[in-house]
Amino acid sequence: MAQWIYGKNAAMQILKSKKKVEKALVAEGMRFPEAETLLKSRRIPTQRVSRKELDKACMDTHHQGIALYCEDYKTVNVEEMLSRIPQGKLGTIVVLDELEDPHNLGAVLRTCDAVGADGVILRKNRSVSLNSTVAKVSTGAIETVPVAMVANLTQTLKQLKEQGYWVYGTDMQNAQDYRQPAFDTPVVLVIGSEGKGISRLVKEECDVMLTLPMEGAISSLNASVACAVLLYQIHAKRFPLK
């Protein structure tokens, strides 16, 4: 199957990759010199259309004037994800437990790319899929960060622990401050769903629970924001300023 992927950054990332693109739509009156050069060199059929026609094709008005009709995003299995981690590097993998908001997933992928995380694992059921909204919000990181979809998160966590990973979850109860761990082993960071947090069985597989200080009136952070704070803390511990 194929789908429309839209937005300037997402489109450029696809055009620079080997992903198959069947056709492109560009809004009348708009110019994308680098993208248009790639479209021409790859001989991708390109049509100028009104913004109204582009809105209809994308089923969204936030397309930034360009859309590509291309093959669905491919996922990897966990073994392949692990095999891509360079030898000697401490792996960092994010596990999302029933995350349903595509904007959150896109933001998580973008942060994973920024800190050099090695992949994201999602549950096959009751989770958001890799779609055009995720692609646009990720600003192209959907093409650079490996994503695996698994049937059983608890079993996957057990397998990762056997590979030497320590599993860190997020919770307000019975948790240590996120600044305490050294993060000097391979890390799995588990982020719960927007409303329910981490499910009970997944929480039981966590080695350490972390909490973020909340000094104001609001008692929790958006899932992608919490993930970003924790990923940068892991990065800061591993690569301290000298």
Side-chain angles (χ1 to χ4, degrees), residues 28-71:
E28 293 172 344
M30 297 195 71
R31 291 290 180 268
F32 304 94
E34 188 177 2
E36 289 172 38
T37 298
L38 289 169
L39 287 167
K40 186 175 181 180
S41 67
R42 293 184 56 179
R43 298 181 181 179
I44 296 169
T46 304
Q47 183 181 359
R48 289 277 177 180
V49 298
S50 67
R51 291 194 67 89
K52 187 174 181 180
E53 289 175 281
L54 203 48
D55 294 347
K56 185 177 179 181
C58 299
M59 293 187 290
D60 193 338
T61 59
H62 300 97
H63 44 65
Q64 299 177 310
I66 186 169
L68 308 177
Y69 194 63
C70 51
E71 62 184 349

Side-chain angles (χ1 to χ4, degrees), residues 131-151:
N131 58 34
S132 56
T133 301
V134 174
K136 182 176 184 297
V137 175
S138 78
T139 63
I142 195 171
E143 291 285 348
T144 63
V145 179
V147 176
M149 307 286 288
V150 300

Side-chain angles (χ1 to χ4, degrees), residues 15-178:
L15 291 172
K16 290 177 179 178
S17 73
K18 296 180 181 180
K19 195 176 187 71
K20 182 180 179 181
V21 180
E22 295 184 15
K23 58 184 175 181
L25 299 180
V26 178
E28 293 172 344
M30 297 195 71
R31 291 290 180 268
F32 304 94
E34 188 177 2
E36 289 172 38
T37 298
L38 289 169
L39 287 167
K40 186 175 181 180
S41 67
R42 293 184 56 179
R43 298 181 181 179
I44 296 169
T46 304
Q47 183 181 359
R48 289 277 177 180
V49 298
S50 67
R51 291 194 67 89
K52 187 174 181 180
E53 289 175 281
L54 203 48
D55 294 347
K56 185 177 179 181
C58 299
M59 293 187 290
D60 193 338
T61 59
H62 300 97
H63 44 65
Q64 299 177 310
I66 186 169
L68 308 177
Y69 194 63
C70 51
E71 62 184 349
D72 285 342
Y73 286 101
K74 289 182 170 61
T75 58
V76 301
N77 58 45
V78 175
E79 290 74 20
E80 182 179 352
M81 181 183 292
L82 295 176
S83 72
R84 295 185 182 185
I85 300 174
Q87 188 173 5
K89 180 186 179 185
L90 292 178
T92 303
I93 293 173
V94 175
V95 169
L96 302 176
D97 187 11
E98 298 186 31
L99 199 74
E100 297 177 341
D101 185 351
H103 295 87
N104 267 333
L105 177 54
V108 167
L109 289 170
R110 187 172 183 176
T111 304
C112 284
D113 178 88
V115 301
D118 301 291
V120 172
I121 299 175
L122 297 164
R123 190 193 298 269
K124 283 184 179 178
N125 299 318
R126 301 192 299 277
S127 291
V128 63
S129 60
L130 298 181
N131 58 34
S132 56
T133 301
V134 174
K136 182 176 184 297
V137 175
S138 78
T139 63
I142 195 171
E143 291 285 348
T144 63
V145 179
V147 176
M149 307 286 288
V150 300
N152 190 317
L153 281 183
T154 57
Q155 188 60 40
T156 299
L157 290 175
K158 289 179 189 292
Q159 293 169 352
L160 289 169
K161 289 164 79 170
E162 291 172 358
Q163 297 285 332
Y165 282 79
W166 274 66
V167 180
Y168 294 84
T170 52
D171 201 1
M172 298 297 290
Q173 305 296 325
N174 301 315
Q176 62 178 261
D177 189 283
Y178 79 109

Side-chain angles (χ1 to χ4, degrees), residues 175-183 210 233 237:
Q176 62 178 261
D177 189 283
Y178 79 109
R179 292 164 289 191
Q180 285 184 252
F183 300 117
L210 302 173
Q233 179 64 12
K237 283 294 183 78

